[in-house]
Each structure stands twice: as C-alpha cells, then as structure tokens.
Amino acid sequence: MVKVAVFASGNGSNFQKLVDSQRENIHSEYKIEILITDKKDAGVLEKAEKLGISAFFINPKNYENRSFFEKDLVKILHEKQIELIALAGYMRIIGTTLLENYENKIINIHPAYLPEFPGKNGIEDAYLSKADQTGVTIHYVDSGIDTGKIIYQQRVVINRDQPLSYLEKNIHKVEHHIYPMILNKICENL
Ligand code: GRF
C-alpha cells in the first residue's frame, strides 16, 4: 500500500471521500497516512480528527520564505515515509523544495476542464464562459498553476437554466467519484 499525504486548506470533502473509499475498498492500493493543512480553521481538520488521521497544521506565516516552510513539510513527509502527495483544495503554490523531493509524486484535482479553465475560480469561469461543457481534471503538479501533465479528465455539462450552485454540486459529485478511483490506479502502478 502506498502511503499518501493529503494537503488541504478548506472543507475537506475530497479528503473525506479519499479516506472513506480507502476504508470501504478491501483492495485499496493507497493509505491516507496524514493530512497537512496551512489553515488553522480549515474544516478538514475536524474531519481528520473524526477519521482518526494524524493532522498537521503548519503555519506558512511562521517562515521567512516558501523554501523554509516546505523544508519543514518535507521533514514530516519523510518521517512518515510518505510516497505520494494528493492535493485536495490546497490553496498554495507548490515550490521547488517539494517538487524536487516528490518529483512526479504530487497530484491535484481541479474543478474544471484544463487547459480551458485554470485558476482558483475554475467553476465560475466555466459557468460565465460560452462553453457548453467543463469538467474535472486530475493532473500532476509542476511549478505552474494547473499546468502539469493531465492524468484524467471527465466532462460535465453546463446547464445555464440552473444556478451556478447546481454546476458546483455536479462538479463535486464527479470529483468525489473519480479522485479515489484515479489515486488507486496511480498507486497500483507505482
Ligand atoms: C475542490 O473543488 C477541488 O477541486 C478544489 O478545491 C475544492 C476543495 O473542496 N481544488 P473540498 O475541500 O475537498 O471540499
């Protein structure tokens, strides 16, 4: 089983699904070992506690720069023998320290189709565009924002007779379905 760390800054619904799916699936190829967050009040912390997963809040504000911050993260990751990092709503750029230590071992889920809708407002940008479809993308992380090699994508239709919240709901439903499945596949081949 591949030891995975989830990085998250928010509510943590994807984190929850990754753990649930691992625990329900007797053939799970991965194990969510730890959660790392950069936000003290992130809802994901409560979820980790309920699930009994070790959680680390590391405050970036306590560090002079990104490299020092990430060196501490790497220290924890190595101590816990983490082999793969899964970003799930982690709102921070990944710098060279993490990228060099985990080359091709950091993945992210993006709530829109790439490369059309990068950035932190991917769902809304797609809704406000003229496109009739968006989607969900799982990709490797590189030094850009949502530019890494695409691993898997699934299309989601945009229905503008419905409010933005309807599209958000559909996107999250697809995320929760595909993230555990693709993580499992990646770990199978590691
Ligand atoms: C997800 O939509 C993910 O694609 C994006 O941030 C959101 C996180 O949601 N990067 P949650 O914290 O997993 O509920």
Side-chain angles (χ1 to χ4, degrees):
M1 250 185 327
V2 176
K3 288 185 180 171
V4 174
V6 174
F7 284 22
S9 308
N11 172 44
S13 67
N14 280 286
F15 166 74
Q16 173 91 46
K17 285 287 168 187
L18 288 173
V19 177
D20 287 349
S21 168
Q22 170 212 311
R23 290 180 179 175
E24 281 157 16
N25 183 356
I26 42 167
H27 296 302
S28 182
E29 299 288 334
Y30 68 86
K31 179 161 187 276
I32 305 298
E33 196 74 11
I34 58 169
L35 169 83
I36 289 187
T37 186
D38 59 335
K39 291 269 186 302
K40 195 168 109 211
D41 302 321
V44 70
L45 278 171
E46 212 172 289
K47 290 193 169 69
E49 200 186 334
K50 280 200 186 126
L51 291 163
I53 303 236
S54 308
F56 298 83
F57 160 57
I58 313 292
N59 191 349
K61 292 190 182 119
N62 292 342
Y63 297 85
E64 215 173 291
N65 58 41
R66 192 191 306 283
S67 170
F68 287 138
F69 167 63
E70 291 193 343
K71 274 191 182 130
D72 263 9
L73 297 188
V74 168
K75 211 193 277 171
I76 297 172
L77 296 168
H78 284 169
E79 264 168 30
K80 300 285 176 188
Q81 296 173 310
I82 300 301
E83 300 162 81
L84 193 103
I85 300 168
L87 309 185
Y90 183 66
M91 303 306 284
R92 194 162 284 281
I93 288 170
I94 301 294
T96 45
T97 304
L98 273 168
L99 287 171
E100 278 166 10
N101 276 277
Y102 283 89
E103 206 184 337
N104 288 322
K105 298 279 167 50
I106 309 178
I107 62 170
N108 180 43
I109 188 157
H110 181 71
Y113 216 76
L114 291 174
E116 284 97 311
F117 306 110
K120 62 177 165 49
N121 298 316
I123 306 180
E124 199 179 348
D125 289 349
Y127 188 77
L128 297 175
S129 77
K130 297 236 176 302
D132 56 7
Q133 289 183 3
T134 175
V136 175
T137 305
I138 296 171
H139 62 94
Y140 287 106
V141 173
D142 65 10
S143 56
I145 295 177
D146 304 325
T147 51
K149 185 169 169 252
I150 291 168
I151 302 167
Y152 187 82
Q153 293 182 288
Q154 188 168 314
R155 285 285 191 189
V156 175
V157 169
I158 303 171
N159 179 356
R160 293 192 183 79
D161 295 335
Q162 299 287 345
L164 172 63
S165 59
Y166 179 82
L167 177 62
E168 285 168 347
K169 224 170 93 191
N170 282 342
I171 291 281
H172 294 315
K173 213 161 119 189
V174 170
E175 289 189 317
H176 297 160
H177 176 63
I178 69 171
Y179 211 10
M181 179 179 91
I182 298 303
L183 179 60
N184 210 53
K185 282 224 166 81
I186 293 169
C187 292
E188 212 175 72
N189 297 317
L190 269 190

